[in-house]
Amino acid sequence: MLSFNPKPFVFSAVAMSGPPERKIPTAAENYPVPLSPPLPPISKQIELSRAMTASSNSSIFSLSPSDILYQDDHLIAVNKHQGIYCETLLSSLASQSHELHLANRLDRDTSGILLLTKSHKVAAKLVKAFTEHKVKKTYIALCTGPPPNWEQVTVRSGHGRSKFGAWRVYGASDVGRTLPGGSAVRSMETSFEVLSVNGNGSFREVSDSCEEGNVLVVEEKAVKEDGNASEIVVRAYPRSGRTHQIRLHCQYLGISIVGDVKYEGVYGWKGITHHAHHLHAETLSFEHPVTGLDVMLRAPLPLWATQAFQH
C-alpha cells in the first residue's frame, strides 16, 4: 500500500467548569488543508458560457427513441448526451409518465446512463441501493498528462468544500474533520485502470471485480510532472459517490480530463477546442428493486471515446 505521512491533528484543551459554551470556529483551529489546487481563474467564464449554452439548448432538446437503453413498468434508463442537464431529460420524458424520479444524477457535461423510476416507492429503494453502494458503476474518461506508471490504481482520500465553496481533495486522515462551511470531510475512493495511452491499447470489457492495484492513500499535495502530455483513456470504478469524484481524482493523479477546465483539464487539445469535459457513464449494474433480478445496463461509447481507441 502506498501511503504518505499524515498531518497531525490539532487538539484544544477546554476547561469543563460550568455549562459548555458554544464554540465559535476561528482560523487558529487549523481547518483541514485541501490537497488539490483551487479552481483556475479561466474556468469561471468558460463554465458560465457552457451553462448558458446548455440552458438555451434545453428548450429545443428532444430525446430520441434510440437513446432509451432500457424500460419496464418500473424503470427507464436513457443515454444522456453531453451538455444536457438531467432536468432537461426529465422534462423530455414527462409525456411517458406523470411520475418520474431521478435515481442517479450526472454532471451537465457527463454523458451516459441516467436511471429514472416511475414511482416514489421504487425511487426510495433505488436511492437506498445507491447510498449503500450496492449499485456498481463504471465510467470512461479521456485524459491528458504524463503516461501513468501504473496499470491499475486505487485512490483513497477525503472530499469536501473549501472555504470558497469549491469541491476539493483532502487527506484521508482528515475524514470527519469540520470544514469552514460547517460540513465535514467525507471519504472518497476510486479505482482506475488504463485502457489506452496515445492510441496504444484497446477497449476491453468491464471486469466484474476490478483489482485495486496499487493503493494510493492521499496525505500530501499532488506534484505535477513536467514533460510532454500524452492522451490517456482510463476506466474508473467509483467506490463512493461524491460530487465530481472521478474528475477530482483524475486531477490529483496528474491526468485531468480533457475539457474539464474546473480541474485543470485542457481546453484546447490537438487543435480542437473542447466545449465539455470527456467523461462517460459507461455501465450500471444493480438488483432490480421490484423483481430482484440482476440488471446490467451499458451506454454506447461517445464519438470521442471511439476515436481515441482508433488512433
Side-chain angles (χ1 to χ4, degrees), residues 20-237:
E21 295 182 0
R22 184 180 178 185
K23 193 176 180 182
I24 300 175
T26 66
E29 287 184 291
N30 292 329
Y31 287 118
V33 177
L35 302 181
S36 58
L39 303 186
I42 192 175
S43 68
K44 185 176 181 180
Q45 186 58 43
I46 293 175
E47 283 294 315
L48 177 60
S49 174
R50 290 176 177 177
M52 292 176 65
T53 299
S55 295
S56 62
N57 288 342
S58 65
S59 61
I60 58 174
F61 175 79
S62 178
L63 189 72
S64 167
S66 63
D67 291 327
I68 297 178
L69 304 172
Y70 174 87
Q71 183 167 201
D72 61 23
D73 292 339
H74 312 284
L75 306 172
I76 180 169
V78 300
N79 183 22
K80 188 182 90 65
H81 292 203
Q82 205 176 47
I84 297 294
Y85 287 108
C86 293
E87 289 74 16
T88 301
L89 270 177
L90 200 60
S91 299
S92 181
L93 288 164
S95 60
Q96 297 198 26
S97 174
H98 295 295
E99 192 181 339
L100 286 177
H101 309 272
L102 291 169
N104 68 318
R105 301 188 69 88
L106 297 175
D107 295 333
R108 178 195 64 225
D109 292 338
T110 300
S111 59
I113 302 172
L114 189 68
L115 186 61
L116 303 96
T117 68
K118 297 181 179 181
S119 72
H120 280 294
K121 186 176 181 180
V122 175
K125 288 183 177 180
L126 265 180
V127 168
K128 186 173 185 289
F130 273 100
T131 303
E132 295 176 350
H133 310 303
K134 293 180 178 178
V135 179
K136 294 182 179 179
K137 302 172 283 184
T138 68
Y139 290 72
I140 295 284
L142 179 65
C143 309
T144 60
N149 58 4
W150 43 265
E151 291 185 4
Q152 294 177 321
V153 70
T154 294
V155 184
R156 293 174 182 163
S157 73
H159 170 272
R161 286 189 185 274
S162 67
K163 64 180 179 180
F164 299 111
W167 295 108
R168 307 280 287 278
V169 172
Y170 287 84
S173 62
D174 287 329
V175 171
R177 296 182 66 190
T178 302
L179 292 165
S183 61
V185 177
R186 303 176 73 184
S187 62
M188 178 165 68
E189 179 174 336
T190 316
S191 294
F192 293 92
E193 61 176 338
V194 176
L195 298 181
S196 172
V197 178
N198 292 330
N200 296 316
S202 61
F203 177 83
R204 56 181 177 267
E205 292 301 319
V206 174
S207 170
D208 289 335
S209 56
C210 174
E211 296 181 9
E212 287 187 335
N214 293 326
V215 178
L216 175 60
V217 180
V218 174
E219 295 296 356
E220 295 181 351
K221 289 187 176 181
V223 178
K224 294 196 72 172
E225 296 183 26
D226 296 326
N228 295 328
S230 296
E231 184 175 279
I232 305 153
V233 181
V234 298
R235 174 177 282 133
Y237 298 77

